[in-house]
Amino acid sequence: MDEIIRYFFDFSRLSGYWPDILHGFLITVEMSILTVAIGIPLGLLLAVLRLYGIRPLNALIIFYIDLFRSIPQLVLIILAYFALPFSGLVLSPFTATVVALSMVLSAFAEEIFWAGITSVPKGQWEAGRSTGLGFNQTLAYVVLPQAIRLGIPPLTNRAIGISKGTTLGSVVAVPELLNVTSSIQSNVANPTALTVGAMLFLALFLPFVRFTRWLERAYGHPRH
Amino acid sequence: MTATANGTDAARDIVVIKDLRKSFGNVEVLKGIDLAVAAGEAVVIVGSSGSGKSTCLRCINRLEEPTGGRITVGGQEITGRKVDLNALRRRIGMVFQGINLYPHMTALGNVTLAMRKVAGLSKAAAEEKARHHLDLVGLAHRADAYPAQLSGGQQQRVGIARAMALEPQVMLFDEPTSALDPELVGEVLNVMMRTKQLGMTMIVVTHEMQFAREVADRVVFMDEGKVLDVGTPHEILVEPRHQRIRDFVNRTRT
Ligand SMILES: Nc1ncnc2c1ncn2[C@@H]1O[C@H](COP(=O)(O)OP(=O)(O)O)[C@@H](O)[C@H]1O
Ligand SMILES: [Mg+2]
């Protein structure tokens, strides 16, 4: 038992690697934040556009969300990095990963926002419009606040799930946390780096997971 | 020119409906409605479920698009493509059976939203006026409550304040008490009676026959998409001239 603990927590083996680990951690944090900061607003924009009921546009939006919800994230990252250059678009590994993940998140976010918007009762629209508020005003002040509130718990879950996909960036050699720590592991033939990696992932995602729990409790039984 | 049934002249008519028709698909639910409502008048529309009362009311602020006929409100044509719908609707208050308060806003927020975003009042001016209107419905002390913290009757009174605060030319009420527990109906009807006393022009769809008898200047009886009869509450509800109305009155008498 002692043996095992010493094996997994042998921090002496990591001297000199700490800057790399920190750098990997920061890249993971950056990619996660960018994925959420691009994916969720993009999803909201798509849901709102879909509301205008422009047929060809809606067909495109639905194609987009179905596509990005069905392709595995790993495949998308590889495509973004290795296939897009053939169409003249060369992305860095970092950018390719963020683009792929935020598109996936935007597709799921669109579905969540859309479900939220359509579950706001028709009477809310009618109340707003009957007081002279325009379509966009009713959407902005009456419908979206309710739709977003409904969407927050499932959105946070999705955002966490997809942000964890930043680890997939290692396939295109993004020096993110998992990539860094697993290569240190093979360099020094000791898994302590992975232990550190796991703890850092925990430090990054656990607060979010707790936040969702809190949200679910706060919004699970709507008080107003 | 046309005269309303109680003899007022057309110049004082706030709402004039001529040969209003509405079809859903190929089902015609309004088959040529004619009605003129004078300033300050309270007209109550009664009739069995499905006779087209709501549809008629909703055509007046174009929540439903009429398929034929003409409607003017305050002398202005409201049908046709060039009409500024939002400006039109601001002049027409509506109170819903489903109440439809905004659940994420306080009573005050519900009342001030359109005052600020449509009428363009400053926050302070809107709030001051909104408090006045909440006071008129007896809810000044609940200004900061969310709809879920209010009883159904209180919610509907906020709904009335929300519409009244825009100082409309006419108020439309579509079964405002039908969704309420019986013991909460009275407070809403009282507020409506006071609204009438303030001189507001009102068109009310309701099944509250006592309210119709006491408050209505005229009662309209709708039947299968047509106006079967119009008259004083006494003429329509006490000594009906038509067998169908007699049947209806007997059914609703409690
Ligand atoms: N949006 C709609 N689509 C199709 N039919 C409708 C719609 N709204 C109302 N109707 C029909 O129009 C008729 C009149 O309805 P309504 O005006 O609600 O009657 P009332 O308010 O007198 O009960 C009913 O037969 C109803 O089913
Ligand atoms: Mg109705």
Side-chain angles (χ1 to χ4, degrees), chain B residues 44-60:
Chain B
V44 168
I45 302 178
V46 298
S48 359
S49 169
S51 56
K53 306 179 298 294
S54 297
T55 306
C56 180
L57 217 54
R58 292 160 58 84
C59 280
I60 298 173

Side-chain angles (χ1 to χ4, degrees), chain B residues 190-231:
Chain B
N190 280 337
V191 165
M192 290 167 63
M193 213 177 304
R194 235 173 301 144
T195 307
K196 152 88 172 146
Q197 284 158 3
L198 290 172
M200 180 55 64
T201 309
M202 301 171 32
I203 306 178
V204 183
V205 173
T206 185
H207 293 294
E208 296 295 329
M209 291 304 142
Q210 195 189 338
F211 176 85
R213 280 196 299 272
E214 290 171 5
V215 181
D217 295 304
R218 279 185 302 148
V219 176
V220 173
F221 187 90
M222 276 187 66
D223 187 45
E224 294 181 345
K226 291 201 197 92
V227 173
L228 183 59
D229 200 5
V230 186

Side-chain angles (χ1 to χ4, degrees), chain A residues 121-140:
Chain A
K122 189 163 144 266
Q124 292 290 308
W125 284 99
E126 293 187 343
R129 297 309 300 275
S130 78
T131 57
L133 292 171
F135 180 89
N136 292 328
Q137 287 178 311
T138 308
L139 179 65

Side-chain angles (χ1 to χ4, degrees), chain A residues 40-223:
Chain A
I40 288 181
L42 184 59
L44 180 60
L45 180 73
L46 290 173
V48 167
L49 283 177
R50 189 172 167 190
L51 199 56
Y52 289 88
I54 305 162
R55 285 267 176 81
L57 186 63
N58 281 15
L60 261 172
I61 292 173
I62 290 168
F63 177 73
Y64 174 94
I65 61 173
D66 286 354
L67 189 72
F68 286 104
R69 288 190 311 162
S70 20
I71 301 185
Q73 296 165 24
L74 185 61
V75 176
L76 269 179
I77 292 170
I78 292 170
L79 282 176
Y81 184 64
F82 293 107
L84 275 185
F86 289 104
S87 66
L89 194 60
V90 180
L91 303 178
S92 71
F94 180 95
T95 311
T97 308
V98 168
V99 164
L101 293 179
S102 33
M103 284 174 120
V104 173
L105 180 55
S106 74
F108 282 101
E110 194 279 345
E111 273 296 288
I112 291 168
F113 284 125
W114 180 253
I117 289 171
T118 50
S119 68
V120 172
K122 189 163 144 266
Q124 292 290 308
W125 284 99
E126 293 187 343
R129 297 309 300 275
S130 78
T131 57
L133 292 171
F135 180 89
N136 292 328
Q137 287 178 311
T138 308
L139 179 65
Y141 302 121
V142 176
V143 176
L144 277 186
Q146 299 181 56
I148 289 171
R149 195 175 285 216
L150 286 169
I152 285 176
L155 266 178
T156 329
N157 276 327
R158 273 297 169 199
I160 293 166
I162 291 167
S163 296
K164 283 192 292 192
T166 51
T167 51
L168 300 172
S170 53
V171 294
V172 290
V174 179
E176 49 76 45
L177 186 55
L178 180 65
N179 193 356
V180 170
T181 49
S182 60
S183 51
I184 296 171
Q185 173 199 237
S186 43
N187 283 353
V188 302
N190 177 283
T192 305
L194 277 181
T195 312
V196 172
M199 287 183 326
L200 287 174
F201 276 116
L202 218 57
L204 177 60
F205 289 114
L206 194 61
F208 280 108
V209 175
R210 304 304 306 205
F211 176 61
T212 1
R213 281 208 187 290
W214 177 81
L215 276 176
E216 271 158 8
R217 233 175 306 125
Y219 292 124
H221 313 279
R223 266 162 300 179

